Amino acid sequence: MSGVKSILLMIFCYVEVNGGYLYPEQIHISWTENSNEMRATWVTYLESQPIAAYSSISLKGSSQDWTFVVGETKPFLESNTGDSIKLHYFGIIGIVPVIIYFFLWFHYNLALLFWSFIFSAIYTHLIPTENKIAEEFIYIFNEGLYGIDFYGILNIVIDATLSGELNFGFGERYQYVHTAVFYDLSPDTWYEYKVGNLGFWSKKYVFYGRTPDSENNFEDVNDPYTMIIFGDLGTGPIAQPTKKLLEKEALEGNSLGIFHLGDIAYNLDKKNGKIGDEYLNMIEPIAASLPYMTVPGNHEKFYNYTQYKSRFYMPVNNKNQGTGYFYSLNLGPIHFIFHNTNLYFDESTKIEAEIQLKWLINDLNKANRNRKKRPWIIVMSHHPLYCSQNWFEEGSQEDCGSEPAVLKPILEDLFYSNSVDLLLQAHVHNYERAAAIYKNKTIPSELDNHHWHINPKAPIYIVSGNAGNHYGRNDPKSATPQPWSRFLSDDYGFGRLKAINNTHLYWEQVSALTNKEIDYAWIVKKHPRYDPSLLEF
C-alpha cells in the first residue's frame, strides 16, 4: 500500500510540476498584417495544445459569449551551450527530496533555503569552477531569490528518480512559443481575453479593438489616438520608473499601443535566454493589454536575431518572411513604417538590406498614392540619421558620426523625395528633438518657433532612446548641439505621439522620474505633402 501511495505522490508532484510548466507566461499582444485582428503570444515550458478565448465587454462591464481559438506552437531552443552533468545513483533515493519538497512547497522561503543548500553542496563538491555550468548555477540560485524555478528543480528530481540518472542539462533550454489570433474585432469595442494550455489558464487581460486599417479603408482616419514610443529599455533598475509609468498607461487605457524602437532587453539572449524571459515577464502587465510593436536594434542582432524572431511576431509581408525586420501599418491618418537599420552596417546582411530597401521604396510609393486620404508618413528605426555629436564621448562619435554617415547616403534622399514627415529613432541614450533637416541643414517651415512647425518642408527628426537602457547616462547631451537641434535632455522617459487629424500631430516627451512633460512640438500642415522639387541647394 505504501508503494501505491508513493506512486500517487509522485504523480501528484509531477502534475504540479507540469502545471507550472504549462502555465502561460510572457503574454503580449500585437497587431497583425490584417485589419480587425489581434495576435496573442505566450510561452510555456512543455509542449501542449494552445487555446485562447476572447469576448467583447458590454457597457455594463460583463463579458458576452466567449470565442475560443486554437493557436499554433513553435518550439524555441533558448540556448545550447552543450554543457551538461550526469550523476548516477540508486533511483529510489530520489523520492526522499521529493517528499521533503512536497511539504516545504507550502513554505516558499524554507524551500528556497533547502534547495539552495542541496544544490550549493552539489556545486561545491561536484562541479569544476572552470565549467561553464558554474555560472549557470550561480545565476539560478542567486537570481532565483526573485522567482526560483521550483517546478523545474522538482521535475529534474522526479525524472532522476525514475531514470536513476541526475542530468543537469543546462546546455539546452526549450520553451514553446504559442500564438493565437483574435478575429473580426470591432474598432470601438473593448475585449477581454485569456490564454491557456490543457486547462491551465492565464488571468484575464483587456484590450481595445481598434487595429490598423486596410490599405483602402479610411473610415476612422480622423479618430484621434495616442501611441507610446521609445527605445532602449532593458530590465535593470534604471528601467523601473518607465516600466511603472507604462503600467499606469496600460491600466488607464488612454493609449492605443506601444512602438519599441529596438534595444529591448539588454539582451534577449543573455544568460541563455533568461534575460529575454525576465523582460517579457516584466512587461506582461503592459504588453498584454497594449499592442506591443517592435523593430530590432543592435542588441537584438546576435545569433541572426534568433531571440527576437522567436519571441516577437510582427506583421508579415511578401518580403520580410515573418522576421519582423520591416513592415508598415496604416493607422488613421498616418502610414507608419518600421525598418531594420542594422542590416545596412554588416556585409553579411547585404542581401537582406537590398530586399528591405526595395520593399521600402515600394512601400513609400504606395503610401504617397494614398496621401490625400492618409496624409502623414512616419518612419521608425533604431539608429538615428541625425543627432548632435558629443565630441568628448567616443560612443557619441560613432552613434552620431560614423553610423549616420553610413545611413544618410542610403536613406536620406529617399525619405526627403517621398516627403516623409517625421522620423522617430533611438539608440542614443538621451532625448533630442530636431527641426526639419535635409543635408545637415535646417529647412525653415512656413512658420517655425521652438515648439511649432507649420507646413514643414523636410523631415523632422526625433531621438527617444533613454527609456531605461543598461548603461545609465552614458550618452550625455552634447555641449555643442547642432543648429537644427531644438531640445536636448538626459532625462529617462518615453514619447507620446498624438494623431489629432489630417492636419495636426502632437508630440511630447515625458520624464519617467517625474511623470511630467519635458518637451512638446506641434506639427501642422495644410497640404498632404511638401514638394521636394521646390527646395533649392
Side-chain angles (χ1 to χ4, degrees):
M1 190 66 182
S2 60
V4 174
K5 289 182 179 178
S6 297
I7 292 173
L8 291 175
L9 176 61
M10 291 186 65
I11 292 173
F12 175 79
C13 291
Y14 197 76
V15 169
E16 287 291 328
V17 172
N18 290 349
Y21 269 28
L22 286 171
Y23 187 78
E25 59 178 73
Q26 305 179 35
I27 303 168
H28 53 285
I29 58 175
S30 57
W31 290 317
T32 76
E33 59 275 12
N34 302 315
S35 57
N36 308 118
E37 290 183 358
M38 189 76 74
R39 177 184 285 109
T41 304
W42 70 100
V43 163
T44 63
Y45 290 89
L46 284 178
E47 187 173 12
S48 57
Q49 181 67 66
I51 298 177
Y54 65 105
S55 174
S56 60
I57 301 174
S58 70
L59 293 176
K60 297 180 180 179
S62 59
S63 297
Q64 307 301 306
D65 293 336
W66 288 88
T67 299
F68 290 85
V69 179
V70 176
E72 297 180 352
T73 299
K74 288 185 178 180
F76 170 38
L77 179 59
E78 285 194 271
S79 62
N80 187 7
T81 64
D83 291 316
S84 63
I85 282 185
K86 295 183 180 180
L87 303 177
H88 296 274
Y89 60 95
F90 294 106
I92 193 64
I93 297 176
I95 195 65
V96 176
V98 173
I99 295 172
I100 296 174
Y101 180 94
F102 175 72
F103 291 105
L104 294 181
W105 190 80
F106 297 101
H107 304 281
Y108 180 90
N109 291 324
L110 289 177
L112 179 61
L113 290 173
F114 173 76
W115 285 110
S116 295
F117 174 79
I118 295 295
F119 282 94
S120 292
I122 294 174
Y123 168 75
T124 302
H125 296 291
L126 297 177
I127 300 178
T129 55
E130 65 271 14
N131 195 298
K132 293 180 181 179
I133 301 174
E135 181 181 352
E136 195 70 20
F137 260 103
I138 293 170
Y139 175 74
I140 287 176
F141 290 104
N142 288 345
E143 300 296 318
L145 291 169
Y146 301 98
I148 194 168
D149 185 5
F150 285 114
Y151 290 122
I153 294 171
L154 183 54
N155 207 16
I156 288 173
V157 173
I158 293 175
D159 287 343
T161 301
L162 298 176
S163 66
E165 183 180 90
L166 185 58
N167 183 2
F168 296 101
F170 295 111
E172 293 186 353
R173 292 183 65 243
Y174 274 98
Q175 63 177 216
Y176 296 89
V177 182
H178 312 286
T179 61
V181 176
F182 308 139
Y183 299 95
D184 300 324
L185 303 177
S186 298
D188 57 353
T189 302
W190 287 92
Y191 293 85
E192 66 176 349
Y193 75 98
K194 55 185 178 179
V195 298
N197 298 73
L198 293 181
F200 292 91
W201 289 99
S202 69
K203 63 178 287 187
K204 295 176 183 176
Y205 288 103
V206 174
F207 68 87
Y208 190 55
R210 185 173 181 181
T211 67
D213 319 310
S214 63
E215 189 171 332
N216 298 311
N217 177 16
F218 304 101
E219 293 179 3
D220 302 320
V221 74
N222 281 316
D223 288 351
Y225 62 86
T226 299
M227 296 300 303
I228 298 169
I229 301 173
F230 58 84
D232 304 70
L233 184 55
T235 62
I238 299 173
Q240 300 313 304
T242 295
K243 186 204 78 166
K244 290 178 181 178
L245 277 186
L246 294 178
E247 287 178 349
K248 185 172 181 286
E249 294 270 349
L251 284 173
E252 292 175 348
N254 296 324
S255 299
L256 192 58
I258 293 175
F259 295 155
H260 191 152
L261 308 183
D263 284 6
I264 295 170
Y266 292 92
N267 291 352
L268 294 169
D269 61 289
K270 289 293 185 182
K271 295 182 179 176
N272 285 340
K274 290 185 176 68
I275 294 299
D277 298 340
E278 180 184 344
Y279 180 83
L280 282 162
N281 281 320
M282 181 187 85
I283 66 163
E284 181 176 314
I286 305 158
S289 294
L290 294 176
Y292 201 82
M293 311 305 293
T294 62
V295 67
N298 54 294
H299 282 271
E300 281 72 63
K301 67 181 182 180
F302 301 103
Y303 307 111
N304 192 29
Y305 301 88
T306 297
Q307 294 276 340
Y308 175 79
K309 291 184 289 188
S310 299
R311 295 177 185 271
F312 297 98
Y313 287 78
M314 295 296 109
V316 177
N317 56 56
N318 61 355
K319 296 296 183 181
N320 69 18
Q321 298 180 343
T323 60
Y325 289 174
F326 52 90
Y327 56 95
S328 60
L329 303 170
N330 292 315
L331 201 55
I334 304 175
H335 181 74
F336 290 103
I337 298 174
F338 302 75
H339 72 120
N340 180 5
T341 44
N342 292 302
L343 300 179
Y344 300 115
F345 296 112
D346 195 338
E347 187 67 25
S348 66
T349 56
K350 182 177 180 180
I351 294 176
E352 292 168 296
E354 291 174 354
I355 293 172
Q356 176 178 252
L357 189 59
K358 289 178 181 178
W359 169 85
L360 180 59
I361 293 169
N362 184 57
D363 192 77
L364 284 166
N365 287 336
K366 288 197 299 184
N368 272 308
R369 288 198 295 268
N370 282 333
R371 210 67 186 260
K372 289 185 178 180
K373 292 184 177 180
R374 205 181 305 278
W376 300 97
I377 297 179
I378 297 178
V379 175
M380 281 167 290
S381 63
H382 182 65
H383 296 86
L385 270 69
Y386 283 99
C387 51
S388 289
Q389 190 164 339
N390 187 327
W391 297 101
F392 300 100
E393 294 291 332
E394 184 178 348
S396 178
Q397 293 179 42
E398 179 180 349
D399 298 342
C400 300
S402 60
E403 290 180 342
V406 173
L407 295 176
K408 287 177 186 177
I410 302 171
L411 298 171
E412 184 172 19
D413 282 337
L414 178 63
F415 294 150
Y416 176 68
S417 63
N418 281 279
S419 304
V420 170
D421 298 288
L422 180 62
L423 279 96
L424 299 173
Q425 311 148 118
H427 190 53
V428 181
H429 298 154
N430 59 37
Y431 168 74
E432 182 172 22
R433 177 173 58 84
I437 309 171
Y438 182 58
K439 299 297 185 183
N440 204 37
K441 293 185 178 180
T442 302
I443 306 302
S445 307
E446 285 186 14
L447 175 63
D448 272 324
N449 65 29
H450 196 65
H451 296 288
W452 284 81
H453 302 281
I454 298 180
N455 291 328
K457 299 176 182 178
I460 293 169
Y461 292 81
I462 295 176
V463 173
S464 184
N466 214 17
N469 82 75
H470 190 62
Y471 306 103
R473 291 186 171 93
N474 66 322
D475 285 331
K477 61 184 182 181
S478 174
T480 56
Q482 293 286 336
W484 36 253
S485 183
R486 291 293 177 266
F487 188 89
L488 266 166
S489 174
D490 294 327
D491 206 350
Y492 300 112
F494 57 89
R496 291 193 190 102
L497 177 70
K498 299 184 179 182
I500 308 299
N501 53 34
N502 279 8
T503 58
H504 289 68
L505 292 181
Y506 182 78
W507 169 270
E508 65 177 344
Q509 182 75 7
V510 178
S511 167
L513 301 176
T514 65
N515 193 20
K516 293 182 179 178
E517 178 187 87
I518 62 171
D519 181 44
Y520 73 91
W522 281 98
I523 306 174
V524 182
K525 62 179 184 178
K526 300 176 183 177
H527 311 292
R529 59 177 292 185
Y530 55 84
D531 189 348
S533 64
L534 299 179
L535 191 64
E536 295 183 0
F537 265 88

